[in-house]
Amino acid sequence: MNSKPYTLLIVDDNPNNLFSLHALLDRLLACRVIEAQSGVAALGILLEERVDLVLMDIQMPGMDGFETASHMKMTEKTKDIPVIFITAFFQDGEFVRHGYEIGAVDYLTKPLDDNLLLNRLRLYLQLFEREKGLQTTLSLVQQKEHALEQVNQELEARVMERTRELEIRNQMLEREIAERKAVELELRHAKQVAEEAARAKSDFLATMSHEIRTPMNVVIGMCDVLLDTRITIQQREYIIKMQNAGGMLLELINDILDVSKIEAGQLLLMEDTFDPCQLLNHTVEMMGLAASRKGLELTLETSPDLPEFILGDPVRLRQVVFNLISNAIKFTDSGQISIRLSRDIARDGASWLQMTVQDSGIGISTEKLDCIFEKFTQADSSITRRFGGSGLGLTISRRLVSMMGGSIQVKSRPGEGSTFQVRIPCRMAYASESLPHHVTEIAEDSHSSTLCATDYPPAQQEVIPEDINLNILLADDSEENILVIQAYLMNTQCRLEIVENGLQALEKFKEKRFDLVLMDIQMPVMDGCEATKRIRHWESQVGIAATPIIALTAHAMMDVTQKIKNAGCDMHMTKPVRKKYLIEIISYFQKRRVSSQGALKGSS
């Protein structure tokens, strides 16, 4: 076992120099000395032995000291070993500086001074400062300069040849640039045509939405009213069938609009705080009647570790859940449909909300699994004739889930049912003020929140509270729509005043205080948005609190929604307006009014 604390490696091609230096080190310093007569031999020793310091002659055949030091610095084991160069003749400052740049820690000249060597070795062994050095010799520089001269001559010849080639290519590029400009002009024209077509499509969809929803508002609204009257069992059955048909038509309109808004980049996800378990419970409860009519068992299982509240878009998530459960009910004739909601923690610590919808229906063949997410596509063309449907539900669901940062997968076999799994990021949140379940906040401005009500058909007729008693101003130019709202509020204590356009609504609002305004957007003389802006301006001038204004619109496109928000409406409801939802929202604003009045009394 070696008892000497340090190991030194001396490298010199002269055996006499090695012998004298070895003897000198044994006499002056208690250290282990290893010899090498070449740079290659030195590198081999360094890879096998633990060495604390290297004393290296610079001038050696084959691999000189500088090159050997350079190789040392390129190896992890040897890169920090200090190197002291030994030279027998004078060199200029550039030579010395070059060695230090490589990493040398010092230079010593022959013949060596014993005390100087001992002091230097003790210093570097104590501090363990290891630096690199490179050697450039005058002969190597001269060789490289000579080589550079030859290269320069070759380069000049190549440049002349290359110049001739470039002149030819420049001519070709000029022709190509002219062709590209022509193509760019064609592309700009095509882009302009496409943008105009997209605008025309949006205008057409908005118009069709308005024209279809307006009579649908009357049809579905009157069905709601008739179901509250005394009718025979057969009449009730007829009305429910008519109501279901209206709901199917409305669902198709919504799906087409959603796809169009997604493709046009107009569909934006909102962010709200909601309870995922409550959302799923409500949706499953809503779909329970449709499942029971087919004799299907609809079950829901929720994991106990789910957060109470998360951040996200509850309306669009409910739409995804609604589509998947509707699909499962549609394509299952017997058996059960199981829904499971759980939380999954990934390896990277990310939290995911995971929902699984499993049915015992007809199933899907493996080669058709991908195409079911395409627009207007179903796994089998006969399915449309047998089960109906537009083939848009899954398309919308996948795109919505993707916009949420999640994914939707499906596993299925013909005759064995299907399993759809949705995964979205689970961002935990705290509870916020409770609103009706179909209302989702979509924006905020300086004085109010703009809300959007989603019109899902109710699973069954429910008892509607009748203890609301607000003074309501209704602005609408359609006699049929007015009749529907009057019928909705017939059995309540609300006082309803009616005007036919926005200008009349503004004048009536200035004459009398109202608790709530129902403002149709599309009216003659002055539309609902302009009337709302002027009402908000008048309120600001006279210094009174803002009255809640609910926009009633047959439009559902994003630009109309933004226009309503900018006008100052507190929320908007897309036609057809359902009685149950209208009453719930009116009740919400009444509770808010009562709460604010109580707060004022308490402060006084």
Side-chain angles (χ1 to χ4, degrees):
M1 182 176 180
N2 180 29
S3 60
K4 296 183 178 181
Y6 303 116
T7 300
L8 277 72
L9 173 63
I10 55 176
V11 186
D12 197 314
D13 62 317
N14 189 322
N16 294 328
N17 291 342
L18 284 175
F19 177 80
S20 61
L21 187 57
H22 195 153
L24 180 64
L25 293 176
D26 280 342
R27 181 168 56 88
L28 296 179
L29 190 67
C31 61
R32 177 180 173 228
V33 179
I34 305 175
E35 300 177 1
Q37 293 187 358
S38 68
V40 174
L43 291 175
I45 292 171
L46 288 169
L47 292 175
E48 296 179 357
E49 297 281 349
R50 176 185 173 276
V51 176
D52 299 299
L53 181 65
V54 177
L55 300 176
M56 186 164 358
D57 187 29
I58 295 177
Q59 300 294 330
M60 293 186 295
M63 182 184 295
D64 64 16
F66 283 162
E67 189 177 357
T68 304
S70 297
H71 281 288
M72 288 173 59
K73 300 307 176 183
M74 291 187 291
T75 304
E76 184 66 25
K77 182 179 179 182
T78 61
K79 66 184 182 69
D80 293 326
I81 300 175
V83 177
I84 298 177
F85 287 129
I86 300 174
T87 178
F89 55 93
F90 175 80
Q91 291 287 352
D92 58 17
E94 178 64 23
F95 176 89
V96 175
R97 183 170 56 255
H98 197 58
Y100 283 130
E101 289 175 353
I102 289 180
V105 297
D106 208 344
Y107 280 90
L108 294 176
T109 58
K110 299 175 184 178
L112 296 174
D113 180 273
D114 294 354
N115 292 327
L116 178 62
L117 175 62
L118 182 61
N119 289 335
R120 296 287 177 86
L121 291 179
R122 284 175 177 172
L123 174 64
Y124 294 122
L125 290 175
Q126 289 172 358
L127 298 178
F128 288 96
E129 296 176 350
R130 294 165 177 136
E131 301 177 2
K132 296 180 178 177
L134 292 174
Q135 175 186 354
T136 57
T137 64
L138 181 61
S139 60
L140 180 59
V141 171
Q142 292 173 345
Q143 292 175 4
K144 289 184 177 180
E145 288 179 350
H146 179 70
L148 284 173
E149 289 179 0
Q150 293 180 340
V151 170
N152 285 334
Q153 294 175 0
E154 294 176 0
L155 284 176
E156 289 178 0
R158 291 182 182 180
V159 166
M160 293 179 63
E161 181 181 356
R162 187 64 174 167
T163 301
R164 289 191 295 270
E165 293 177 358
L166 288 175
E167 290 175 352
I168 297 173
R169 291 191 179 185
N170 282 337
Q171 296 174 358
M172 298 174 62
L173 282 173
E174 288 176 358
R175 290 195 296 269
E176 184 178 348
I177 289 171
E179 294 173 358
R180 287 188 179 183
K181 287 183 178 179
V183 172
E184 287 176 0
L185 288 174
E186 293 178 2
L187 288 175
R188 279 197 292 268
H189 177 69
K191 181 175 179 289
Q192 183 179 0
V193 171
E195 289 174 348
E196 292 175 355
R199 284 193 295 270
K201 176 183 175 182
S202 296
D203 293 343
F204 172 77
L205 288 171
T207 302
M208 288 300 99
S209 171
H210 181 271
E211 296 304 318
I212 295 174
R213 285 175 182 271
T214 298
M216 283 293 296
N217 185 49
V218 179
V219 173
I220 294 181
M222 286 304 175
C223 287
D224 284 343
V225 174
L226 285 173
L227 288 173
D228 286 339
T229 63
R230 293 183 179 181
I231 53 179
T232 65
I233 296 176
Q234 187 177 33
Q235 288 172 332
R236 178 174 293 275
E237 183 180 349
Y238 291 160
I239 293 172
I240 290 175
K241 287 184 180 297
M242 183 167 59
Q243 193 178 49
N244 289 340
M248 292 171 62
L249 179 58
L250 183 62
E251 182 181 350
L252 177 60
I253 295 170
N254 289 337
D255 286 347
I256 293 174
L257 286 174
D258 279 345
V259 169
S260 300
K261 285 188 283 187
I262 291 173
E263 291 179 344
Q266 293 183 337
L267 193 148
L268 302 177
L269 293 180
M270 310 310 166
E271 187 170 285
D272 198 3
T273 299
F274 66 96
D275 182 347
C277 293
Q278 185 182 37
L279 183 146
L280 207 62
N281 275 320
H282 170 73
T283 308
V284 170
E285 179 183 353
M286 184 172 62
M287 302 300 296
L289 182 60
S292 62
R293 285 175 179 170
K294 295 186 68 174
L296 302 175
E297 182 183 1
L298 188 61
T299 63
L300 171 62
E301 177 186 354
T302 57
S303 177
D305 64 342
L306 285 168
E308 186 176 1
F309 295 99
I310 65 173
L311 279 176
D313 191 329
V315 173
R316 292 304 177 183
L317 180 58
R318 184 186 296 113
Q319 183 176 359
V320 172
V321 176
F322 183 86
N323 285 342
L324 294 181
I325 298 178
S326 296
N327 240 36
I329 294 174
K330 182 188 299 184
F331 298 114
T332 303
D333 293 327
S334 62
Q336 69 174 8
I337 298 168
S338 302
I339 301 101
R340 186 175 188 277
L341 185 65
S342 61
R343 181 185 175 202
D344 180 42
I345 306 297
R347 292 183 178 179
D348 60 359
S351 181
W352 294 86
L353 193 68
Q354 184 168 289
M355 184 192 68
T356 304
V357 178
Q358 184 175 8
D359 63 61
S360 57
I362 61 175
I364 309 166
S365 61
T366 303
E367 60 273 13
K368 298 292 184 179
L369 286 178
D370 289 333
C371 73
I372 63 173
F373 292 101
E374 300 297 326
K375 289 186 297 184
F376 306 106
T377 303
Q378 292 182 333
D380 187 345
S381 59
S382 63
I383 287 178
T384 303
R385 296 191 296 271
R386 179 182 172 190
F387 296 98
S390 63
L392 290 174
L394 290 179
T395 301
I396 295 170
S397 296
R398 169 172 274 188
R399 296 191 182 184
L400 288 176
V401 170
S402 178
M403 290 173 65
M404 295 175 189
S407 63
I408 180 170
Q409 305 293 333
V410 58
K411 295 180 181 179
S412 182
R413 287 185 181 181
E416 298 182 10
S418 304
T419 300
F420 287 82
Q421 185 181 82
V422 174
R423 283 171 59 88
I424 61 172
C426 181
R427 297 182 296 153
M428 288 180 284
Y430 298 99
S432 60
E433 181 182 4
S434 177
L435 297 175
H437 63 79
H438 53 281
V439 180
T440 300
E441 184 174 350
I442 64 172
E444 290 190 0
D445 54 27
S446 59
H447 64 271
S448 65
S449 298
T450 302
L451 307 173
C452 174
T454 302
D455 43 359
Y456 290 107
Q460 58 186 8
Q461 211 65 23
E462 299 181 11
V463 177
I464 299 175
E466 300 175 357
D467 59 345
I468 52 177
N469 59 351
L470 299 183
N471 290 323
I472 301 176
L473 174 63
L474 171 62
D476 201 316
D477 64 317
S478 170
E479 294 182 4
E480 293 81 4
N481 290 338
I482 293 172
L483 182 61
V484 170
I485 299 298
Q486 286 177 323
Y488 282 174
L489 301 178
M490 184 181 301
N491 295 323
T492 70
Q493 301 177 34
C494 292
R495 280 78 61 193
L496 189 66
E497 293 201 27
I498 301 168
V499 294
E500 295 181 355
N501 57 62
L503 183 59
Q504 293 177 0
L506 176 62
E507 294 172 349
K508 181 66 69 173
F509 190 86
K510 292 180 179 180
E511 294 173 5
K512 183 178 179 180
R513 293 297 301 272
F514 292 94
D515 301 313
L516 183 67
V517 178
L518 301 178
M519 182 76 72
D520 187 36
I521 295 304
Q522 190 167 344
M523 294 185 292
V525 183
M526 181 185 293
D527 64 26
C529 287
E530 182 62 27
T532 300
K533 289 180 182 178
R534 297 195 181 189
I535 287 175
R536 294 304 186 208
H537 178 70
W538 181 80
E539 288 174 331
S540 176
Q541 281 186 325
V542 299
I544 62 174
T547 299
I549 299 179
I550 301 176
L552 306 178
T553 174
H555 292 285
M557 301 302 283
M558 181 59 69
D559 55 347
V560 178
T561 303
Q562 188 66 32
K563 184 179 178 181
I564 293 170
K565 169 197 168 184
N566 294 338
C569 294
D570 290 82
M571 63 173 293
H572 84 268
M573 296 185 69
T574 304
K575 296 178 182 178
V577 176
R578 304 305 299 269
K579 178 180 179 180
K580 174 179 180 294
Y581 298 158
L582 178 63
I583 297 297
E584 281 186 7
I585 293 172
I586 292 175
S587 298
Y588 166 73
F589 282 109
Q590 174 166 300
K591 291 177 183 178
R592 197 170 76 172
R593 180 175 68 89
V594 172
S595 175
S596 63
Q597 289 176 348
L600 289 174
K601 290 180 181 179
S603 62
S604 62

